[in-house]
Amino acid sequence: MVTAVGTFNRSGRVCWMVPFGIARFCDYFHPLVISNIFPLTTLCVTPMNEVHFTENCWKGIVMNKRSPFQICSRLVVVVGVLVPLLLLAQEPQRLTLDNMNDPTIMQAFSTPRVWWLEDNTALIYDTRKPPMERTLERFNPADGKRAPHVDAAKALEHFKTFFPEGKAPFLPPMPSEITKDGTRGLYLIGGDLFVLEFAPATFQRVTDTPDPERSANLSPDGLKVAFVRANDLYAYDLEAKKERRLTNDGSETILNGTLSWVYWEEIFGRQDIGYWWSKDSKAVAFLRTDESMVSVQHYVDIAPWTPTVTKQRYPKVGEKNPDVKVGIIEIEGSTTTWAQLDPSSFEYIIRVDWLPNNKQVAVRTNNRLQTELDLHLIDRFTGKAKHVLKDLNEGWINISDDLFFLKDGKHLIISSERDGYEHLYRFTLEGKLVNQITKGNWAIRSSGGGAFWVRQAVAGIDEQNGWIYFTALERSPLEKHLYRIKVDGSGMKRLTTEAGTHAINMSPNTKFYFDRFSNISTPPSLALYETGGTKKTTLADPNPAGFEKYGLQTGELIQIPARDGFLLPAHITKPRDFDPSMKYPVIVNVYGGPSAPQVSNSFSFGAVWENVLLNEGYICMTVDNRAATAISKKLENLFLKRSLGEVELDDLVDAMHWMKRQPYVDPDRFGIWGWSGGGSNTILAMTRSKEFKAGIAGAGVTDFRFYDTKWGEAMMKTEKENLEGFETYSLLKYAKDLHGRLLIIHGTHDDNVHIQNTWRFVDELVKANKLFELMVYPMRKHGVGDMAGRRHMNHLMLDFWKRNL
């Protein structure tokens, strides 16, 4: 057999050797395209990945009585004319602003959603399947079998019966909550509540009222639903079909079971968690909030002709916070038992948790400066409070959901940063320290999603065998791994092995866990493991198809030495056709907030936007200052009383000096951008250094006195304790020192970082006769999240870089 052999080179491309040495060319292997070039050939792939042109080709040539010279000449022509077309056909598509939202790219970040049930089976909803094939499935981890859990089509038809024909609203594919036994799912649709019985695929309508319901939650036994209507708390019995009003004084400023803005944002991580079912489903503990004394912010709409005005209660640094207290109400009772806590002894109620015995509620509080955490046990029936323990930190106490009361009724496990790193500790219920469980110059850390400022590292506790399962940064501050350790602190072992980021979801009995794994170059996958570390099955492999379609780059992780030798984590991404002899402009992305790292060994959605910039000839870079790395509380506390100053700036400047020494960059064409905290750090860099030619600052705080009490005072305290710090680190005073071209972006309805921050900074720029660019998005909030706004902003930013960098 006469052959032309192709083998894969190290770049992953297949190199074709045409007979007689006529031509050699490389491209991605695509049999159909090669067959079009050599139409008489039959392709076969050997186990060694060699591709052969079979003798059929040469028989055809011989039958046409062509000489070897004619053969060579024809092949040269074919190769010369058609190979460029082949290369063009197989060249990855160019990613642009117009196609960056291609669903094939987004699929790289998608893995099935999973929920563990109390019987240690799981429910799965696979978003990778085509929409018409998706359904909720019951999954048995023991044997890997899956079966449909609900007849979705039948359920939809029954749902439509509650509405006039053709008027049924959209039914979300998944409920907002599922009972622990997996029999029911809760939906909030159009302000009303519906409960789906999975087995018969039928709905029960819970509410049908002019006032919308919100903050709905099923009871642990799945037989009741609690919810908030007009700032009062209600409960509905699904079997008796009876609604019960639990509170009666809800108003514009009195909130029962729902949160004021500062609690929603800063304490509960953007979740409206204002009440908690007892484990026996017979009582509810809730927060009652009086925010009448909280200052009011106003947002003027653009419609109708005389615009409406939206109000928001928002306490700024140094101002009054809402008054909050804890009540406990029996579902079948008529009176509320109030926790007997001295209001003068605390400023914030940061967590409420039921004990396993259903007789007590644990309440954690902070003082105004957030340097103290107190844990109290509240009697369910009398409200009497028992103080258990106090935690202290010279900077501030971070919020954590790592509090667990053991079934022995004598001990609790709680996280603390008392030794400079976040670790687990065991106490008695009398407040006596038994032992520190985890130790070392590393921190435990949440592995899943959610707000970074609300933490939970413990994945599960096996009390019978004395094991605690948790995620931590022990192997590397850029990676999250699963570990187990005995309650007494012995026997610690890392269970995950692949370098990268592991998000863990553990079964109630701690025998199995789902691991959503990715690293900087590998999209997320989802697999089931036994807790010994043995993989049982893979539910979703990495899906790089969209990234390969556009030839997207994922970059590299590096460490950059600061002036004192501290190694700053950084991430650099270069264009696909990177030429080391060229001089590239560099765009640097920053956030820079406390223990909020942007650099990690994980697959990042930011890579999509970066690749748009790479295709325009830029190099992209992200770097974290040391206080943002989450390595330790010691480093985080460097921000104490001096945020937006030397801590952020010195590390950033050192990283830029290192980068500018690289032979492939143009040191005169560096840009910087960021959002929220990153917007603040962009303004800091553009006014207090000359490292950047241009910058884009989105929705940044320009003076912490414009920001809320909980976050702003954690780092900066109040003017009473730190007036000099507020004055020194206000960005307003440095507007006159603006260097380079600056684009400021803000939404007029930003209820997090008020546009007042931008207006005041702009006013200072005007006074100093400094030219700048400004884009204001009408009625957009903190993220400018609508499709039109996001599309416009992407074009705006790219245009700015092209003009100024």
Side-chain angles (χ1 to χ4, degrees):
M1 181 174 73
V2 182
T3 65
V5 180
T7 58
F8 289 93
N9 66 13
R10 289 192 301 173
S11 70
R13 295 173 181 262
V14 64
C15 299
W16 305 94
M17 183 63 74
V18 180
F20 310 111
I22 296 170
R24 177 181 173 89
F25 60 97
C26 292
D27 206 331
Y28 291 105
F29 170 43
H30 197 313
L32 293 178
V33 176
I34 299 301
S35 296
N36 287 331
I37 292 181
F38 300 103
L40 297 178
T41 64
T42 300
L43 297 179
C44 59
V45 182
T46 73
M48 297 303 293
N49 287 329
E50 294 180 339
V51 183
H52 300 273
F53 296 92
T54 68
E55 58 187 343
N56 291 342
C57 175
W58 311 112
K59 287 180 180 177
I61 294 174
V62 171
M63 289 173 63
N64 288 320
K65 298 181 180 180
R66 290 184 170 87
S67 68
F69 178 78
Q70 288 174 314
I71 296 172
C72 294
S73 300
R74 175 150 184 162
L75 286 174
V76 167
V77 171
V78 169
V79 170
V81 173
L82 294 182
V83 166
L85 297 178
L86 171 63
L87 291 170
L88 180 62
Q90 292 302 298
E91 186 73 14
Q93 297 181 36
R94 177 183 174 86
L95 187 73
T96 67
L97 293 176
D98 295 325
N99 59 24
M100 64 181 293
N101 292 318
D102 184 333
T104 64
I105 298 176
M106 300 303 108
Q107 278 294 308
F109 303 93
S110 174
T111 56
R113 295 179 61 187
V114 292
W115 299 261
W116 286 106
L117 303 178
E118 61 186 0
D119 66 355
N120 298 293
T121 63
L123 294 179
I124 297 176
Y125 185 74
D126 193 347
T127 54
R128 289 192 174 187
K129 292 182 178 181
M132 296 305 295
E133 297 179 17
R134 297 174 191 171
T135 187
L136 192 63
E137 298 175 280
R138 191 76 170 252
F139 175 75
N140 188 337
D143 57 19
K145 292 182 179 179
R146 298 162 69 160
H149 190 61
V150 63
D151 186 332
K154 182 180 177 181
L156 177 60
E157 289 305 311
H158 187 258
F159 174 72
K160 291 179 180 178
T161 63
F162 293 97
F163 305 92
E165 185 174 354
K167 300 294 185 180
F170 172 72
L171 178 64
M174 289 302 304
S176 60
E177 185 183 6
I178 297 173
T179 56
K180 293 181 179 180
D181 62 4
T183 60
R184 289 170 169 161
L186 178 65
Y187 291 80
L188 179 59
I189 302 172
D192 283 314
L193 297 171
F194 298 81
V195 171
L196 172 61
E197 299 279 351
F198 289 121
T202 58
F203 276 91
Q204 177 179 348
R205 184 163 193 162
V206 176
T207 64
D208 186 5
T209 61
D211 287 328
E213 284 74 37
R214 55 195 174 99
S215 307
N217 284 286
L218 291 159
S219 60
D221 63 10
L223 301 179
K224 305 179 187 70
V225 181
F227 57 88
V228 175
R229 180 193 298 144
N231 291 334
D232 271 319
L233 191 59
Y234 292 76
Y236 184 90
D237 190 311
L238 294 172
E239 293 187 334
K241 295 181 172 54
K242 180 181 179 181
E243 178 180 288
R244 184 179 183 86
R245 186 171 183 170
L246 303 180
T247 64
N248 295 280
D249 61 347
S251 68
E252 182 181 345
T253 57
I254 300 295
L255 317 179
N256 292 294
T258 186
L259 301 175
S260 63
W261 185 89
V262 71
Y263 270 66
W264 174 84
E265 170 74 17
E266 307 295 9
I267 296 177
F268 291 96
R270 299 178 182 174
Q271 298 184 78
D272 194 16
I273 305 173
Y275 64 89
W276 300 263
W277 281 101
S278 61
K279 299 179 189 303
D280 61 12
S281 301
K282 295 180 179 180
V284 170
F286 70 99
L287 296 182
R288 179 189 183 275
T289 300
D290 179 357
E291 57 177 5
S292 59
M293 70 293 295
V294 178
S295 61
V296 180
Q297 308 301 312
H298 299 86
Y299 307 92
V300 180
D301 205 335
I302 58 174
W305 300 113
T306 298
T308 57
V309 178
T310 303
K311 297 180 181 180
Q312 175 199 23
R313 299 278 177 171
Y314 184 110
K316 297 200 172 185
V317 166
E319 296 182 349
K320 289 185 178 180
N321 276 310
D323 286 337
V324 181
K325 62 181 181 179
V326 177
I328 304 170
I329 188 165
E330 302 294 322
I331 300 302
E332 299 301 327
S334 58
T335 60
T336 300
T337 300
W338 298 105
Q340 296 178 19
L341 295 172
D342 180 3
S344 66
S345 67
F346 68 91
E347 185 72 20
Y348 303 101
I349 294 175
I350 61 171
R351 283 297 181 270
V352 177
D353 301 275
W354 283 91
L355 272 65
N357 62 14
N358 287 303
K359 296 179 180 179
Q360 293 170 300
V361 171
V363 176
R364 281 176 279 174
T365 62
N366 279 159
N367 63 331
R368 178 78 189 226
L369 299 183
Q370 304 169 59
T371 55
E372 302 176 4
L373 178 146
D374 288 285
L375 172 62
H376 308 266
L377 298 184
I378 310 298
D379 186 273
R380 169 176 176 173
F381 301 105
T382 67
K384 185 177 180 180
K386 171 188 174 182
H387 186 265
V388 176
L389 61 85
K390 179 185 290 288
D391 198 11
L392 302 172
N393 194 281
E394 65 177 355
W396 64 92
I397 302 283
N398 284 304
I399 293 177
S400 171
D401 284 315
D402 282 321
L403 172 63
F404 305 92
F405 293 90
L406 301 185
K407 295 177 182 177
D408 65 7
K410 298 179 181 179
H411 297 92
L412 64 88
I413 294 170
I414 193 170
S415 65
S416 172
E417 296 177 298
R418 59 183 58 196
D419 73 348
Y421 298 85
E422 187 169 16
H423 283 299
L424 296 173
Y425 295 79
R426 179 168 54 150
F427 287 85
T428 69
L429 293 192
E430 302 302 317
K432 180 181 178 181
L433 176 63
V434 178
N435 63 285
Q436 182 175 350
I437 300 171
T438 58
K439 300 177 181 178
N441 295 334
W442 48 269
I444 63 172
R445 188 66 70 208
S446 308
S447 71
F452 70 83
W453 56 94
V454 176
R455 305 172 181 177
Q456 183 173 342
V458 174
I461 299 178
D462 177 4
E463 292 192 46
Q464 181 177 351
N465 296 300
W467 289 110
I468 300 174
Y469 296 88
F470 64 96
T471 48
L473 308 177
E474 184 267 347
R475 185 179 186 274
S476 165
L478 303 185
E479 300 183 357
K480 295 177 182 178
H481 286 271
L482 176 66
Y483 299 79
R484 73 176 184 181
I485 193 170
K486 287 287 188 179
V487 177
D488 64 5
S490 65
M492 180 171 147
K493 179 183 178 181
R494 178 162 53 89
L495 301 178
T496 48
T497 57
E498 295 176 283
T501 298
H502 299 263
I504 305 300
N505 187 353
M506 185 164 282
S507 63
N509 64 3
T510 70
K511 291 185 178 181
F512 302 97
Y513 63 86
F514 292 110
D515 181 0
R516 186 180 189 272
F517 166 75
S518 75
N519 59 35
I520 195 168
S521 60
T522 307
S525 61
L526 184 68
L528 175 74
Y529 288 81
E530 295 178 333
T531 46
T534 302
K535 181 187 286 190
K536 290 279 291 182
T537 187
T538 298
L539 283 80
D541 287 313
N543 184 3
F547 271 60
E548 293 173 350
K549 176 180 177 180
Y550 292 95
L552 304 191
Q553 306 299 291
T554 54
E556 59 181 318
L557 296 169
I558 64 170
Q559 292 179 310
I560 299 174
R563 65 192 68 180
D564 61 355
F566 185 91
L567 296 177
L568 302 169
H571 170 213
I572 296 177
T573 313
K574 301 170 185 175
R576 180 161 46 90
D577 57 355
F578 173 74
D579 182 348
S581 66
M582 290 182 60
K583 297 288 187 180
Y584 290 88
V586 178
I587 296 176
V588 182
N589 177 235
V590 293
Y591 179 74
S595 293
Q598 304 303 293
V599 179
S600 66
N601 192 7
S602 63
F603 204 69
S604 171
F605 187 78
V608 180
W609 169 246
E610 285 185 348
N611 272 268
V612 172
L613 298 176
L614 299 181
N615 287 342
E616 298 293 339
Y618 301 99
I619 285 177
C620 292
M621 179 181 186
T622 302
V623 62
D624 289 325
N625 67 67
R626 66 192 67 194
T629 59
I631 292 174
S632 72
K633 183 61 176 171
K634 295 177 181 178
L635 292 176
E636 183 184 72
N637 279 354
L638 292 173
F639 282 142
L640 183 59
K641 296 186 177 181
R642 54 175 181 161
S643 184
L644 298 180
E646 290 78 15
V647 176
E648 299 97 326
L649 188 61
D650 288 353
D651 283 349
L652 180 62
V653 168
D654 290 352
M656 295 307 101
H657 286 174
W658 179 90
M659 191 64 178
K660 288 180 179 182
R661 292 195 297 270
Q662 305 313 303
Y664 52 81
V665 305
D666 183 342
D668 296 323
R669 297 170 67 200
F670 270 54
I672 184 172
W673 80 280
W675 201 267
S676 194
S680 302
N681 276 287
T682 295
I683 293 175
L684 174 68
M686 295 295 294
T687 56
R688 296 188 62 185
S689 83
K690 295 185 179 180
E691 299 297 326
F692 300 97
K693 183 180 180 183
I696 301 176
V701 172
T702 57
D703 188 309
F704 269 110
R705 286 168 289 195
F706 295 144
Y707 205 53
D708 74 68
T709 50
K710 186 70 174 63
W711 186 272
E713 292 176 10
M715 292 179 288
M716 296 297 289
K717 307 311 174 187
T718 69
E719 286 188 321
K720 179 180 179 181
E721 293 82 22
N722 189 31
L723 178 59
E724 182 180 357
F726 279 106
E727 294 293 334
T728 299
Y729 298 108
S730 171
L731 296 177
L732 302 179
K733 66 183 294 185
Y734 299 106
K736 59 182 174 53
D737 301 318
L738 175 65
H739 174 83
R741 302 298 301 173
L742 176 64
L743 167 62
I744 302 172
I745 306 174
H746 219 127
T748 64
H749 202 308
D750 190 334
D751 58 1
N752 185 337
V753 179
H754 298 148
I755 199 170
Q756 176 188 20
N757 287 271
T758 286
W759 295 145
R760 285 291 299 272
F761 188 73
V762 163
D763 189 50
E764 295 301 318
L765 290 172
V766 171
K767 292 177 183 177
N769 197 29
K770 290 289 184 176
L771 300 182
F772 61 96
E773 297 181 34
L774 174 66
M775 180 63 214
V776 173
Y777 285 96
M779 298 309 293
R780 270 64 172 196
K781 292 194 175 184
H782 192 50
V784 189
D786 66 294
M787 185 62 70
R790 177 63 63 180
R791 181 177 61 249
H792 183 277
M793 188 168 66
N794 287 341
H795 282 82
L796 173 79
M797 293 173 66
L798 183 57
D799 174 74
F800 177 83
W801 292 130
K802 287 181 176 181
R803 288 187 290 106
N804 295 289
L805 209 58

